[in-house]
Amino acid sequence: MSTSEIDQQIEQAIGAIQAIEGLKDIYFVACGGSYALMTPNKYLIDRESTTLTSDAYNSAEFVQRAPARLGKDSLVVVSSMSGNTPETVAAAEFAQSKGALTVGLTTDPSSPLGTTVDHCIEYELAPSEANDRAAACVFNKLLFKLLETREGNSKYPAIVSAQKNIAGVVERVIRSHAERIVSFGQAYKREPVIYTMASGSNYGPAYSFAICILMEMQWIHSNAIHAGEYFHGPFEVTDFDTPIITLLGLDSTRPQEERALAFSKKFSQKNIVLDAKEFDFSDVPEQAREYITQIVFGYLLRAYANRLAEDRGHPLTVRRYMWKMDY
Amino acid sequence: MSTSEIDQQIEQAIGAIQAIEGLKDIYFVACGGSYALMTPNKYLIDRESTTLTSDAYNSAEFVQRAPARLGKDSLVVVSSMSGNTPETVAAAEFAQSKGALTVGLTTDPSSPLGTTVDHCIEYELAPSEANDRAAACVFNKLLFKLLETREGNSKYPAIVSAQKNIAGVVERVIRSHAERIVSFGQAYKREPVIYTMASGSNYGPAYSFAICILMEMQWIHSNAIHAGEYFHGPFEVTDFDTPIITLLGLDSTRPQEERALAFSKKFSQKNIVLDAKEFDFSDVPEQAREYITQIVFGYLLRAYANRLAEDRGHPLTVRRYMWKMDY
């Protein structure tokens, strides 16, 4: 599908959302990598919206927790790459049974999720190649357009403009990391544990890298440490040989990430730092940088993952359980 | 202080909360172990409240994220054991600067946090000995009393009745685990990585054990895996020798925990299971069991931690960074 087709799907979904009279709560619901994409959505709503609350839930947690407020005044945004994730399809059905409006993102509108939700918005899967049809871009457009319509939020044009240039931005960023990516693969290929660390909107890509890349695709022990929480427990595990990948973003929580890194650099010799201040954002509007950074981190981390997988002779496609058995 | 003095402080706080005309959002804000206690509070509000939304934030994240909705219609509940946690004191001040009402739990009402918040509620620190003045008990009372007052929720008497018996409940539960606790210390004392796993309200004690006990107090790598997320990434790290401590609670999300355990038992030979169905809850009212379980897990896990520390010759009081330097 094309960007303009996606934009039309977004417009239609927003028409339906605006028709919810007492709209107050958004539930962002998904699993794993798709759940990781929901946490920056909550950051965006927290930062920008004066009329809406939101939270991100794993799909099974959402259904079993069954929030008492869920009902006809609720918007439930679900997402699944294939559209086949059973827990997420069940979450959409559960939300509808309570009278909530459901909007779903998937790459396949004919999938169980695509045909279940009230409004389906397509996205394109291309984890190593950036474009404005990626899920994270579509989410940003959906939410900023909604806030423009509801609250007069003025950032939507800047977001769209930033997304138009995202392919070039990501290519430049990855190129500027080329040597560091090669060193990373060699230096870290035998590590049994690698942590990630971030806060705010960047916690999403840090979580995704920890659970989907390191644990799932590389069988390496990991944990996405929240940079603010680091000083209240996790930092004691820092030793000279503790590998920590720290994201330094451009959102309002960067001071936490900087503080955590300043500490870990003192005591660990294995710090990998991805600093968005180094990114060439010359063609990204100032207003959009806070929100596009987490998307760029996703692609940059994927480039690190590709190299790590190659050096370890353990392709990112290998699984021992996922899709191979019932669970 | 006595239980009845705490009850009076709760009553006063609720009077002030009820005076917030447009109350809609509760922000639960704290760091580390105190943050861990906030996540079951969010579970409770999700499950029980039809008029309130809530979320749990690390204190630094809260201040830097600066939610746009935060204002005179907000309640901010903060907590710090000592009352000296700088990020949490700053969070209370920030909330007040936005016009929000602040309620704070601490063991020391004369601390910076105790003297900053609009309403201070005391609690007692006794991590190895249960009583109804523990933070988790005080939170349950505060929230169920608030919901009784606002919404006619009927569970408060059951909660109070359960808490009166909590010392005996915890003693019986720990006694029933005595042999397993000894085996755990011996069998796991040389493990470099130990995971915890839970969902719903029990994610709180699982997170606390992972970051405060294993990482902070034992320098063991860890990660609190959400049981629903397990199948969407983390489960691929499961091997015959991957240690996972799974909590099986009694709340509405138990099916997720059971499903995750059923899988991990197939492929790991190192499963430690704490199952609340085995707990002797004969003097705990049915209605309170869903909510008291996470509190009992906290004490039971502490008994496991005490033994692990002893077998490793690494006391839970040892730190290399915390309180020893500026950070």
Side-chain angles (χ1 to χ4, degrees):
Chain A
M1 92 272 42
S2 68
T3 300
S4 69
E5 283 168 321
I6 292 173
D7 288 347
Q8 281 169 29
Q9 294 172 340
I10 288 174
E11 287 283 0
Q12 282 168 12
I14 287 172
I17 296 167
Q18 284 294 85
I20 306 174
E21 246 179 66
L23 180 61
K24 230 346 275 318
D25 307 328
I26 307 179
Y27 299 87
F28 293 113
V29 179
C31 296
S34 295
Y35 168 79
L37 291 173
M38 295 299 193
T39 66
N41 291 343
K42 178 182 161 54
Y43 173 86
L44 190 163
I45 294 296
D46 271 354
R47 286 286 290 169
E48 302 286 342
S49 179
T50 53
T51 68
L52 299 168
T53 69
S54 75
D55 204 5
Y57 295 83
N58 165 273
S59 304
E61 176 80 29
F62 175 72
V63 172
Q64 290 171 21
R65 186 180 288 220
R69 287 175 53 81
L70 180 67
K72 65 176 181 43
D73 294 340
S74 312
L75 167 63
V76 177
V77 178
V78 294
S79 182
S80 160
M81 189 266 282
S82 66
N84 290 321
T85 312
E87 299 99 313
T88 307
V89 177
E93 288 166 348
F94 174 71
Q96 288 171 331
S97 78
K98 296 287 180 182
L101 182 77
T102 55
V103 171
L105 266 68
T106 175
T107 61
D108 181 2
S110 70
S111 64
L113 191 72
T115 55
T116 297
V117 291
D118 299 308
H119 289 270
C120 179
I121 302 172
E122 286 175 74
Y123 75 85
E124 194 178 305
L125 180 73
S128 299
E129 232 173 278
N131 67 56
D132 64 358
R133 299 176 302 284
C137 290
V138 176
F139 275 128
N140 267 359
K141 269 188 176 173
L142 171 68
L143 296 175
F144 275 108
K145 190 74 191 171
L146 176 64
L147 294 181
E148 181 183 82
T149 312
R150 279 181 78 81
E151 304 181 7
N153 186 295
S154 63
K155 294 183 182 169
Y156 179 75
I159 297 293
V160 172
S161 162
Q163 291 191 4
K164 282 197 178 124
N165 299 326
I166 195 162
V169 169
V170 166
E171 202 198 317
R172 293 196 303 264
V173 167
I174 292 178
R175 207 186 314 126
S176 73
H177 275 257
E179 284 175 33
R180 284 175 276 183
I181 288 169
V182 171
S183 308
F184 171 75
Q186 280 301 312
Y188 291 91
K189 67 182 179 183
R190 303 201 210 289
E191 294 294 343
V193 182
I194 300 176
Y195 288 104
T196 64
M197 187 153 64
S199 58
S201 58
N202 307 307
Y203 191 78
Y207 178 78
S208 190
F209 195 77
I211 75 150
C212 296
I213 301 290
L214 294 173
M215 296 176 82
E216 175 184 328
M217 302 186 192
Q218 292 294 299
W219 308 347
I220 291 171
H221 297 296
S222 189
N223 179 358
I225 298 171
H226 183 277
E229 286 286 276
Y230 181 56
F231 296 101
H232 300 277
F235 78 152
E236 283 283 335
V237 96
T238 310
D239 208 332
F240 74 97
D241 60 350
T242 310
I244 308 177
I245 301 172
T246 303
L247 308 184
L248 296 179
L250 297 176
D251 74 18
S252 65
T253 73
R254 180 179 172 99
Q256 283 178 78
E257 296 167 336
E258 286 180 340
R259 181 182 169 217
L261 177 62
F263 185 90
S264 71
K265 273 171 104 168
K266 272 193 220 162
F267 297 99
S268 168
Q269 294 158 20
K270 295 187 175 175
N271 284 286
I272 304 101
V273 183
L274 276 54
D275 186 352
K277 274 204 179 156
E278 291 175 17
F279 295 176
D280 177 357
F281 273 169
S282 49
D283 53 2
V284 176
E286 186 73 48
Q287 276 197 317
R289 293 179 188 176
E290 171 174 5
Y291 293 103
I292 206 169
T293 301
Q294 59 97 0
I295 304 177
V296 176
F297 276 141
Y299 290 105
L300 180 57
L301 284 165
R302 188 66 178 212
Y304 276 82
N306 288 337
R307 184 67 198 206
L308 183 67
E310 201 177 309
D311 282 330
R312 299 180 80 241
H314 181 124
L316 296 178
T317 50
V318 169
R319 300 289 185 286
R320 44 186 164 187
Y321 312 123
M322 195 175 270
W323 314 310
K324 292 194 166 170
M325 57 186 74
D326 288 330
Y327 46 82
Chain B
M1 94 271 41
S2 68
T3 300
S4 70
E5 283 168 320
I6 293 173
D7 288 347
Q8 281 169 29
Q9 294 171 340
I10 289 175
E11 287 282 0
Q12 282 169 11
I14 288 173
I17 296 168
Q18 283 295 84
I20 307 174
E21 246 181 66
L23 180 63
K24 231 345 276 318
D25 307 329
I26 307 179
Y27 298 88
F28 293 113
V29 179
C31 296
S34 295
Y35 168 78
L37 291 174
M38 295 300 192
T39 66
N41 291 343
K42 178 181 162 54
Y43 173 86
L44 189 163
I45 295 296
D46 272 354
R47 287 287 289 169
E48 301 286 342
S49 179
T50 53
T51 68
L52 299 168
T53 70
S54 75
D55 204 4
Y57 295 84
N58 165 273
S59 305
E61 176 80 30
F62 175 72
V63 171
Q64 291 171 22
R65 185 179 289 219
R69 288 174 53 79
L70 180 66
K72 64 177 183 40
D73 293 340
S74 313
L75 167 64
V76 177
V77 178
V78 293
S79 182
S80 160
M81 189 267 281
S82 66
N84 290 321
T85 312
E87 299 99 312
T88 307
V89 177
E93 288 167 348
F94 174 71
Q96 288 171 331
S97 77
K98 296 287 181 183
L101 182 78
T102 54
V103 171
L105 265 70
T106 175
T107 61
D108 181 3
S110 69
S111 64
L113 191 72
T115 55
T116 298
V117 292
D118 299 309
H119 288 271
C120 179
I121 303 172
E122 286 175 74
Y123 74 85
E124 192 178 306
L125 181 73
S128 300
E129 231 173 278
N131 67 57
D132 64 359
R133 298 176 303 284
C137 289
V138 176
F139 275 128
N140 267 0
K141 269 188 175 172
L142 171 68
L143 297 175
F144 274 109
K145 189 73 190 173
L146 176 64
L147 294 180
E148 180 182 82
T149 311
R150 278 182 79 80
E151 304 181 7
N153 185 297
S154 63
K155 293 183 182 170
Y156 180 74
I159 297 294
V160 172
S161 160
Q163 292 192 4
K164 283 199 179 122
N165 299 326
I166 196 163
V169 169
V170 166
E171 200 197 318
R172 292 195 304 263
V173 167
I174 292 178
R175 206 184 316 126
S176 74
H177 275 256
E179 284 176 33
R180 285 175 275 183
I181 288 169
V182 171
S183 309
F184 171 75
Q186 280 302 312
Y188 292 91
K189 67 182 179 183
R190 303 201 209 290
E191 293 294 343
V193 182
I194 300 175
Y195 287 104
T196 63
M197 187 153 64
S199 58
S201 58
N202 308 308
Y203 191 78
Y207 178 77
S208 189
F209 195 77
I211 74 149
C212 296
I213 301 291
L214 294 174
M215 296 176 82
E216 174 184 328
M217 302 187 192
Q218 292 294 298
W219 308 347
I220 292 171
H221 297 298
S222 189
N223 180 358
I225 299 170
H226 183 276
E229 287 286 276
Y230 180 58
F231 296 101
H232 300 278
F235 78 152
E236 282 283 335
V237 96
T238 311
D239 208 332
F240 74 96
D241 60 350
T242 309
I244 307 177
I245 301 173
T246 303
L247 308 184
L248 296 179
L250 297 177
D251 74 18
S252 65
T253 74
R254 181 180 171 100
Q256 284 178 77
E257 295 167 336
E258 285 179 341
R259 181 180 169 219
L261 176 63
F263 185 90
S264 71
K265 272 170 104 167
K266 272 193 219 163
F267 297 99
S268 168
Q269 293 158 20
K270 295 188 174 174
N271 284 285
I272 303 101
V273 184
L274 276 53
D275 186 352
K277 272 204 179 155
E278 291 175 16
F279 295 175
D280 176 357
F281 272 169
S282 50
D283 52 3
V284 175
E286 187 73 47
Q287 276 196 317
R289 293 179 188 177
E290 171 173 3
Y291 293 103
I292 206 169
T293 301
Q294 58 98 0
I295 305 177
V296 176
F297 276 140
Y299 290 105
L300 179 57
L301 283 166
R302 187 67 177 211
Y304 276 82
N306 288 337
R307 185 67 199 205
L308 184 66
E310 199 177 311
D311 281 330
R312 299 179 80 241
H314 181 125
L316 296 178
T317 49
V318 170
R319 300 290 186 284
R320 44 187 163 187
Y321 313 123
M322 194 176 270
W323 313 311
K324 292 193 165 170
M325 57 187 75
D326 288 331
Y327 45 81

